[in-house]
Amino acid sequence: MISCAEAVRQLWEYIDDVVDAGERAAIETHLARCRRCCGELEFARELRRTLADAGEEDVPDDVLRRLRHTLEELER
């Protein structure tokens, strides 16, 4: 079992499909039981789509605030 912090830390690699099969399985097992981390995964996917569709200056303020908050949480 991995912790929420570890699952969230690996979300970008998970989205990019650069985690090995064991890590992918551990993340998916965690996501199957953790709604909070599922929300973080959806946010990460939404952010990726937003950044792909627009320049950084076009990213909504609420998205940037949540990104900053997420990054601060990951640094702890």
Side-chain angles (χ1 to χ4, degrees):
M1 245 353 158
I2 62 174
S3 66
C4 287
E6 184 62 18
V8 171
R9 187 187 71 73
Q10 293 188 49
L11 287 179
W12 297 108
E13 288 91 3
Y14 178 80
I15 291 170
D16 290 337
D17 200 27
V18 294
V19 293
D20 65 35
E23 290 171 326
R24 177 167 284 284
I27 294 167
E28 289 173 352
T29 298
H30 184 90
L31 292 172
R33 65 176 176 79
C34 184
R35 304 314 305 158
R36 179 187 164 276
C37 290
C38 286
E40 292 300 320
L41 177 60
E42 184 52 38
F43 172 71
R45 286 179 172 152
E46 177 184 333
L47 180 61
R48 274 285 165 87
R49 285 190 298 270
T50 300
L51 293 176
D53 293 343
E56 185 175 334
E57 64 278 356
D58 297 328
V59 177
D61 288 339
D62 61 322
V63 173
L64 288 175
R65 273 194 302 278
R66 185 162 179 194
L67 176 60
R68 285 188 197 104
H69 174 74
T70 300
L71 293 173
E72 288 169 5
E73 288 292 315
L74 291 175
E75 289 175 358
R76 291 184 191 158

